[in-house]
Amino acid sequence: MKASQVIKPKEDLQIKDIEIPKPKGRQVIVKVKSSGVCHSDIHVWQGGYEGKDGKIMKVEDRGVKFPLTMGHEIAGTVESVGEDVSKFKENQHVLVYPWIGDGTCSACLVGDEHVCDNPQSLGIYQDGGYAEKVLVPDEKYLVDIEGMDSDKVCSLACSGLTAYNAVKNSKISPKQSLAIVGIGGLGLTAIQIAKALFNPTIIAIDLNDDRLKKASEVGADYTISSKSDNFLDKVKELTHNKLGPDAIIDFVNGPKTVETDLEILKKRGRLVLVGLFGGSAEINLPLLPMKNHTIIGSYTGRLADLADLVDLVKRNKVDPVVSKTFKLEDATKALNELNDGNIVGRAVLKP
Ligand SMILES: [Zn+2]
Ligand SMILES: [Zn+2]
């Protein structure tokens, strides 16, 4: 079968002919119909993330091995199953949960495989969906998506799930105010999820007016440009007693945005950091205890949450955005367009 692989970081992806094994035990081979191209794929392809003082944190130091078939947002149909598979059968339409753990660490034992000590995620630590087929190690990682559009649904496995978990981590409740910083695909999804689950007052923040317009279309109560004068005061004015948002989800998570977040966040507020923009920030340490702030990092989400999220989409509470589809051969092009900021929503490869 064909796979589009990263042979070496930064170089164009290459189409390779790869042997795929017959599934054994609880394994399943999924024929890929749609494979989302995620921002984090750019970092893996480029070989790392920017950390403190501009130093690159290499993905190879974190266990990524090349050549690699990337792709962790995979929807398709079951092609063949191992002898112990009981719930899924051939041709069934499925979404793959890619955040696979080792099954033995303390995170895995409580269902938090996505933050496993020894991660085995598809498309990062083992071959993923930039291919005609993918081997899924256990049928439990499949979610039924019968009757749904696989181009739309595939991104739920990463972008959707990340937004879902971030909203849950914000611990927001009705009547409180939630600021969402960075209105890309994740921000737009998070607005819809927060409205559907908790119905807080939502303040969408971004530099770009087109994105802010989109934010109000999907349910943000207020939108505000971070370029506007007296931006900090303006945000506070939109909240109860002008005390600031009860929680902030930052999908940029860059030095500038985090600095601002901490200035506007209400006393006892929660700041959920999600984005992988890179860099480092200085924190005014006494203010953390004095304001009783909680800062939390949020990465993807649990297997159980993916099923709940698919259900929200089935009930039309959340509508994922697809902006462009590409052939498998054009994976490098898709990554470049995403990197250049030319894709709002999701780019999807069609093997
Ligand atoms: Zn584990
Ligand atoms: Zn992703």
Side-chain angles (χ1 to χ4, degrees):
M1 65 128 189
K2 276 194 297 182
S4 176
Q5 292 197 312
V6 181
I7 308 296
K8 261 189 179 171
K10 297 192 176 77
E11 289 182 2
D12 283 8
L13 279 64
Q14 290 180 25
I15 297 286
K16 295 280 176 190
D17 195 19
I18 306 235
E19 189 94 33
I20 194 151
K22 241 177 95 75
K24 287 189 297 227
R26 291 168 60 88
Q27 292 176 337
V28 177
I29 303 281
V30 171
K31 189 165 185 284
V32 182
K33 278 177 84 175
S34 312
S35 187
V37 180
C38 174
H39 246 282
S40 71
D41 291 341
I42 295 172
H43 293 287
V44 172
W45 173 43
Q46 295 295 320
Y49 292 83
E50 191 186 322
K52 202 169 187 300
D53 304 322
K55 252 179 103 179
I56 299 296
M57 302 186 290
K58 284 176 98 179
V59 292
E60 283 170 286
D61 295 340
R62 291 169 52 235
V64 173
K65 291 187 189 79
F66 298 106
L68 170 71
T69 306
M70 300 198 296
H72 52 265
E73 300 183 342
I74 310 159
T77 51
V78 172
E79 184 174 88
S80 53
V81 298
E83 64 281 7
D84 298 328
V85 168
S86 58
K87 284 202 207 105
F88 290 88
K89 48 184 185 300
E90 281 163 35
N91 296 322
Q92 202 170 337
H93 198 189
V94 291
L95 175 65
V96 180
Y97 177 83
W99 312 108
I100 294 169
D102 58 6
T104 57
C105 78
S106 57
C108 286
L109 292 179
V110 294
D112 287 336
E113 280 194 61
H114 63 296
V115 284
C116 174
D117 289 334
N118 182 27
Q120 314 287 315
S121 320
L122 297 179
I124 301 172
Y125 300 104
Q126 51 182 320
D127 285 342
Y130 285 20
E132 290 174 320
K133 295 170 197 176
V134 64
L135 174 71
V136 180
D138 192 302
E139 65 169 330
K140 73 175 178 186
Y141 298 117
L142 300 178
V143 178
D144 182 277
I145 51 165
E146 213 50 63
M148 298 173 89
D149 175 350
S150 58
D151 286 354
K152 277 198 164 187
V153 173
C154 68
S155 72
L156 297 179
C158 174
S159 136
L161 189 59
T162 300
Y164 187 93
N165 195 33
V167 169
K168 273 180 76 180
N169 279 328
S170 76
K171 298 213 159 93
I172 201 74
S173 52
K175 298 203 175 122
Q176 288 190 321
S177 53
L178 172 67
I180 295 186
V181 179
I183 309 298
L186 271 105
L188 290 172
T189 309
I191 292 169
Q192 299 173 65
I193 292 170
K195 271 287 164 201
L197 294 181
F198 306 110
N199 196 25
T201 300
I202 295 179
I203 305 165
I205 301 172
D206 200 284
L207 292 162
N208 178 306
D209 291 334
D210 291 340
R211 289 169 181 240
L212 290 174
K213 202 169 149 250
K214 271 229 156 86
S216 34
E217 282 165 18
V218 301
D221 297 280
Y222 303 104
T223 62
I224 183 154
S225 166
S226 43
K227 286 188 298 195
S228 55
D229 297 334
N230 302 323
F231 161 68
L232 300 179
D233 294 336
K234 279 189 185 148
V235 176
K236 284 187 174 178
E237 272 164 29
L238 299 172
T239 62
H240 185 63
N241 287 341
K242 301 183 184 173
L243 291 172
D246 296 277
I248 301 174
I249 303 175
D250 191 337
F251 287 113
V252 182
N253 187 21
K256 263 247 130 54
T257 59
V258 170
E259 195 181 294
T260 320
D261 297 340
L262 287 168
E263 276 183 65
I264 55 176
L265 186 64
K266 190 182 174 179
K267 205 169 174 179
R268 303 176 302 282
R270 290 173 75 82
L271 171 58
V272 183
L273 300 180
V274 184
L276 296 167
F277 181 87
S280 55
E282 226 169 78
I283 292 173
N284 190 338
L285 293 174
L287 285 183
L288 277 192
M290 282 159 68
K291 289 191 172 178
N292 205 10
H293 279 167
T294 302
I295 303 179
I296 172 174
S298 188
Y299 178 74
T300 69
R302 302 173 122 211
L303 176 57
D305 287 340
L306 186 59
D308 291 347
L309 177 59
V310 166
D311 191 52
L312 274 184
V313 175
K314 267 189 193 153
R315 291 190 286 124
N316 294 319
K317 300 285 186 189
V318 176
D319 187 23
V321 208
V322 179
S323 49
K324 214 165 172 184
T325 58
F326 294 83
K327 289 191 292 190
L328 186 62
E329 289 75 10
D330 294 329
T332 309
K333 192 170 168 239
L335 286 162
N336 278 323
E337 286 198 20
L338 185 65
N339 198 24
D340 294 341
N342 293 338
I343 291 172
V344 180
R346 225 21 168 200
V348 173
L349 297 181
K350 305 286 291 174

